[in-house]
Amino acid sequence: MPGRSDTAEPVLSVVVHGRDVQGRLGAGLDALAAQTSPGVEVVVAAVGAAARSAAADRPGVTVVPLPEGTGEAAARAAGAERAAGRWLHLVPSKDTVPTGAPRMVADRVAALPDGVDVLVADHVRSTWRHQGLPSPDGGHLARQGRRDLPLADCADLLRVTPLLGVRVLRADFWRAHAERLAGDDETFAAHAALLLADRIATLDQVILNVRELRPESLPPVPPEARFGVIARYESLLALADGLGLPAAPRTALYDVMVGDCLRIVAREKLPEPVREEFFHRAARAAVALRPEGYQRPAGLEGVRRRILEEDAYTKYRTFRAANQQRRKLRSAVLARRHQVGVKVRDLRYRRDLERPVDPRLAVFTAYWDRGVACNPAAIATKLAELAPHIHPVWVVSAANAPLLAPDTDHVVPGTRRYWEVMARAKYLVNNVNFPNAIVKRPDAVHVQTHHGTPLKRMGLDQLDYPAAAKGLNFHSLLARVDKWDYSVSANSHSTRMWERAYPSRYESLDHGYPRNDVFYRATAADIRAIREKLGIAPGRRALLYAPTHRDYEAAWTPRLDLATLADRLGEDTVLLVRGHYFYGGAASPLAGLRKSGRVIDVSSYDPVEDLCLAADALITDYSSIMFDYANLDRPIVVYADDWETYATTRGVYFDLMAQAPGQVARTQEELTELFTSGAWRDAAADKAREAFRERFCEYDDGRAAERVVRRVFLGESENSLPPVTPLAGRTPAPTPEEATQR
């Protein structure tokens, strides 16, 4: 863990605090570490293992490790306690510091006289959709200029967004008032800092990029918690009175309180009884705390405030309804046009949605209704064993339905029964998303299993890569994500990336990928049978070549000369070639090689797990199959002839070239040399694979499907599930060589 240097006391400590929210902490710290300079230190109060890992091994960064579950306030206080700087810039881990801001802040505070306790600066906001949105605070900051003043002369600063991250605090001031400033309520602390300060300076520059998380990705807040807003302002105004502050700050703070309360009543989704009670409490506070001589603003805002002071909730509702009526009239016109086009099918579906949910009915589908496959298939198999009272129905396209086993109950999308089971099923299990038209009922359970560990950017992270997104409607995507109740994960990397790419309020099931259970349960006999089915003679080396698709290519073009590669590797080597499913299994480039016996097209072979079990090694580029295959602890070779192009056009979450699961080849000649020389399975390859497995095979131990079924379908608590076996205690399926010897 890097420690603080013994150099002179820094001017500024940038204290980053919290957990690794949505896997973004590392990038933010990279940017900070790259701009550290004399007089500026970076302290990271890292909550949990993921945050510690993201903060580790960065020169000049001091890490304060904190246990999982440490709250924001406690983390902030721990970081501030460790900081050595004369000034503190407190930055939540989800937010970032713009380039140049630390040096700019350090220069500004170094020039301030001793009487100044707080520097107030500007910020921008970023959402999943927009980056760098300006704040409303610029005018307040610009009016003060470069002066430092007591709050009585700059009371307008109480209207600056109440974030501690835009209030740089003198360290001695923080410690003197820690009891008030280090509490859980950041808004209270941000206002209190200004009330308590002797003098305040401003910086009309952006020092913080605030990442606003989707409310749907955060734990729900009880509606009654909004009552705490009124109590907060009551405490702040009492503090102002206790400090003997003049009228200007108290009037500004009162004005902010009333505006905040009216905003909550008008805009937040509250149950009507809670809204009414909040209004009554806010009305009492507005009257009791109103400063002498206070003048309401003019116009509609003044009318709203007068109604609040009168505690006239009925009148307020009438006033609000009149404003809403115009919007409703416009919506009604659009709704009527839609109703004209409603089909009989939709009417039946709506009727089915009014019938009770069937607690014994589960719908499964995979890969856009391709068939019985992937994680949903493994869950369905374990469900039949542990909960046979729940009946599974598969959604399968008309083209693939004939390929199903005869006893597989299934529906074809668009049919009458399809809409019926989608309306009434208690459980909905998919490794992609269901169509937008599917309604998620409140008492139904949606399990998103995913179908890989993300190397490439996914979900909202594709916003910066329009060529890869290909017109994806992100609003519709989020509407589908909001239907998830559970998200299955194979490792903590995936958990963080799903949280970041698909922010919503689902529960992450860190149980492993059910489809990978077979990699710990398959027997030698199973492997011999698979190889025999594929036509791989005993003693032959089988190499599975499974490249991913490229967003910048319309069709699959093998990046290897497979015939030449087969010739160079010799008669004892068989190449199993699997084209990506996005290309529909139509691996036409292999047509001339299918009869050779040494290059076998397995693009349409299912399940892919069989191919992994049959192979002595995997050759891939950037396909997520590498993360699954690593469970077998067999050699993996990455063929990355276009890594820079792929990473630039698709976007990636980490540098595969630096964290590969084995040897890396950049040309076909290098790839051939790896296999002819034996380097594909040398000590360096083994070491790389070991590190890769530690990171990405975290939860896969052969019992993932059981954990998912017990948690979701049987309702067992998290603590009662079979624990994940540590990697060192797992025994993967035998290798083909071992299977031949048994």
Side-chain angles (χ1 to χ4, degrees):
M1 178 179 73
R4 195 161 53 222
S5 67
D6 295 328
T7 57
E9 178 185 65
V11 174
L12 176 70
S13 294
V14 180
V15 179
V16 182
H17 55 87
R19 63 187 184 89
D20 186 10
V21 180
Q22 298 181 354
R24 298 180 185 275
L25 178 58
L29 293 179
D30 283 340
L32 260 178
Q35 53 181 313
T36 54
S37 58
V40 178
E41 72 163 357
V42 178
V43 177
V44 183
V47 175
R52 290 197 299 274
S53 176
D57 301 326
R58 284 182 168 80
V61 174
T62 299
V63 181
V64 181
L66 299 171
E68 199 73 57
T70 303
E72 279 293 312
R76 187 188 307 125
E81 177 66 24
R82 185 66 177 274
R86 298 196 300 274
W87 289 80
L88 305 176
H89 184 196
L90 305 170
V91 179
S93 59
K94 68 179 180 61
D95 303 334
T96 56
V97 177
T99 300
R103 183 70 268 159
M104 182 170 54
V105 171
D107 290 343
R108 179 77 171 102
V109 297
L112 292 174
D114 289 342
V116 178
D117 293 320
V118 180
L119 174 73
V120 182
D122 205 353
H123 71 284
V124 294
R125 297 179 298 111
S126 293
T127 68
W128 68 265
R129 185 63 173 167
H130 300 289
Q131 301 294 315
L133 298 170
S135 80
D137 301 334
H140 302 304
L141 298 170
R143 278 191 288 273
Q144 184 166 338
R146 303 284 291 187
R147 298 173 297 167
D148 57 270
L149 300 168
L151 183 61
D153 296 329
C154 57
D156 228 22
L157 292 181
L158 286 164
R159 304 180 192 277
V160 171
T161 308
L163 300 168
L164 278 177
V166 295
R167 286 147 169 77
V168 183
L169 309 175
R170 188 182 292 277
D172 290 342
F173 171 76
W174 165 273
R175 296 183 183 106
H177 299 287
E179 185 175 346
R180 287 190 172 109
L181 300 181
D184 290 329
D185 188 342
E186 182 189 1
T187 301
F188 176 91
H191 282 310
L194 300 186
L195 298 178
L196 294 163
D198 285 340
R199 298 181 74 83
I200 303 167
T202 59
L203 177 62
D204 187 16
Q205 298 290 335
V206 171
I207 67 168
L208 189 70
N209 184 351
V210 178
R211 178 163 295 279
E212 295 187 353
L213 305 178
R214 291 187 72 225
E216 294 83 358
S217 71
L218 302 172
V221 178
E224 293 78 6
R226 305 312 289 152
F227 299 149
V229 172
I230 301 170
R232 171 199 300 150
Y233 285 109
E234 290 173 338
S235 297
L236 285 168
L237 285 163
L239 175 62
D241 286 339
L243 293 169
L245 293 178
R250 289 185 287 110
T251 299
L253 191 58
Y254 172 84
D255 211 37
V256 170
M257 176 193 77
V258 176
D260 208 3
C261 290
L262 284 171
R263 178 192 59 78
I264 290 170
V265 172
R267 299 182 185 178
E268 294 199 7
K269 295 179 180 179
L270 299 174
E272 188 58 26
V274 174
R275 188 189 307 279
E276 183 173 1
E277 176 61 21
F278 182 89
F279 186 92
H280 292 321
R281 295 190 186 192
R284 291 194 292 270
V287 172
L289 301 175
R290 178 174 174 167
E292 184 177 352
Y294 175 78
Q295 296 293 319
R296 300 189 204 100
L300 291 177
E301 181 63 18
V303 174
R304 280 190 284 266
R305 294 186 178 220
R306 177 174 56 78
I307 293 174
L308 178 67
E309 290 180 34
E310 293 172 355
D311 197 7
Y313 185 67
T314 301
K315 185 186 294 187
Y316 169 79
R317 288 186 60 188
T318 303
F319 178 80
R320 182 167 176 255
N323 290 326
Q324 291 177 334
Q325 187 62 31
R326 291 189 295 273
R327 292 193 295 269
K328 287 184 177 180
L329 286 173
R330 290 194 297 269
S331 299
V333 172
L334 296 175
R336 184 168 298 177
R337 290 176 183 172
H338 174 73
Q339 290 169 1
V340 171
V342 171
K343 300 178 181 179
V344 172
R345 180 209 70 192
D346 298 321
L347 294 174
R348 287 176 175 169
Y349 181 46
R350 298 295 165 183
R351 292 193 195 104
D352 287 333
L353 287 170
E354 294 175 358
R355 298 168 62 192
V357 164
D358 185 347
R360 295 174 176 267
L361 180 60
V363 171
F364 291 84
T365 186
Y367 297 117
W368 300 275
D369 310 328
R370 198 172 78 188
V372 180
C374 193
N375 291 314
I379 293 171
T381 299
K382 184 58 68 171
L383 182 69
E385 175 189 333
L386 298 179
H389 61 284
I390 298 177
H391 179 68
V393 176
W394 281 86
V395 181
V396 183
S397 67
N400 288 322
L403 304 177
L404 296 174
D407 59 346
T408 304
D409 190 4
H410 69 281
V411 293
V412 173
T415 61
R416 175 71 188 94
R417 188 173 178 236
Y418 167 81
W419 290 105
E420 180 183 2
V421 299
M422 294 306 301
R424 301 203 58 210
K426 171 72 173 179
Y427 305 98
L428 305 172
V429 184
N430 203 338
N431 71 351
V432 293
N433 273 307
F434 288 97
N436 294 342
I438 298 302
V439 174
K440 164 62 166 57
R441 299 177 65 168
D443 46 351
V445 177
H446 187 321
V447 182
Q448 168 59 254
T449 73
H450 304 282
H451 54 277
T453 289
L455 166 62
K456 63 186 179 184
R457 297 292 180 117
M458 302 292 290
L460 296 188
D461 287 331
Q462 295 182 76
L463 278 166
D464 295 331
Y465 300 89
K470 296 183 177 178
L472 176 63
N473 184 319
F474 291 98
H475 289 283
S476 295
L477 170 67
L478 288 174
R480 294 190 293 270
V481 171
D482 287 342
K483 299 175 184 178
W484 301 356
D485 293 292
Y486 297 102
S487 168
V488 179
S489 177
N491 47 68
S492 53
H493 163 80
S494 293
T495 301
R496 294 193 301 274
M497 296 309 103
W498 298 149
E499 180 186 70
R500 166 178 167 165
Y502 306 115
S504 195
R505 205 171 284 150
Y506 51 79
E507 177 184 338
S508 182
L509 299 180
D510 296 340
H511 299 336
Y513 272 166
R515 71 181 183 191
N516 291 341
D517 287 353
V518 69
F519 295 145
Y520 296 95
R521 296 184 174 274
T523 66
D526 295 329
I527 293 170
R528 289 195 300 269
I530 296 168
R531 285 171 66 93
E532 183 177 352
K533 183 178 179 181
L534 291 168
I536 305 171
R540 271 191 157 187
R541 177 177 63 181
L543 305 179
L544 174 59
Y545 173 46
T548 192
H549 77 289
R550 270 75 171 162
D551 296 289
Y552 53 87
E553 290 184 348
W556 181 41
T557 303
R559 310 188 73 83
L560 292 171
D561 181 340
L562 297 169
T564 299
L565 180 62
D567 287 341
R568 291 285 302 277
L569 296 183
E571 294 289 337
D572 291 338
T573 297
V574 176
L575 296 178
L576 305 174
V577 184
R578 182 162 181 97
H580 193 275
Y581 61 84
F582 273 11
Y583 302 124
S588 56
L590 305 181
L593 301 171
R594 288 173 180 160
K595 296 180 181 179
S596 71
R598 290 171 48 213
V599 180
I600 304 174
D601 178 11
V602 291
S603 299
S604 299
Y605 185 100
D606 282 319
V608 69
E609 290 77 30
D610 279 4
L611 302 177
C612 293
L613 288 166
D616 295 274
L618 171 69
I619 304 171
T620 188
D621 40 27
Y622 325 119
S623 170
S624 66
I625 195 173
M626 73 178 82
F627 302 98
D628 305 310
Y629 191 84
N631 282 284
L632 290 168
D633 199 15
R634 301 178 192 174
I636 302 172
V637 175
V638 174
Y639 178 58
D641 66 317
D642 64 337
W643 167 250
E644 289 76 16
T645 301
Y646 183 87
T648 300
T649 58
R650 189 58 172 85
V652 293
Y653 287 117
F654 63 92
D655 184 358
L656 183 63
M657 300 300 96
Q659 301 174 61
Q663 297 284 10
V664 176
R666 301 303 299 264
T667 66
Q668 178 158 336
E669 187 60 34
E670 289 180 6
L671 179 67
T672 305
E673 176 65 19
L674 286 176
F675 283 98
T676 55
S677 68
W680 62 291
R681 55 179 179 182
D682 64 8
D686 291 345
K687 183 178 180 181
R689 185 171 72 255
E690 180 182 3
F692 193 84
R693 294 182 75 232
E694 285 284 349
R695 182 177 180 189
F696 296 113
C697 299
E698 190 174 357
Y699 307 139
D700 288 334
D701 64 351
R703 302 188 71 178
E706 179 183 353
R707 284 188 284 268
V708 171
V709 170
R710 291 189 182 280
R711 179 73 182 90
V712 175
F713 296 87
L714 299 180
E716 297 183 12
S717 69
E718 193 77 23
N719 293 334
S720 68
L721 303 180
V724 175
T725 303
L727 197 66
R730 303 176 201 167
T731 303
T735 66
E737 183 178 358
E738 292 169 339
T740 302
Q741 297 169 355
R742 295 184 187 181

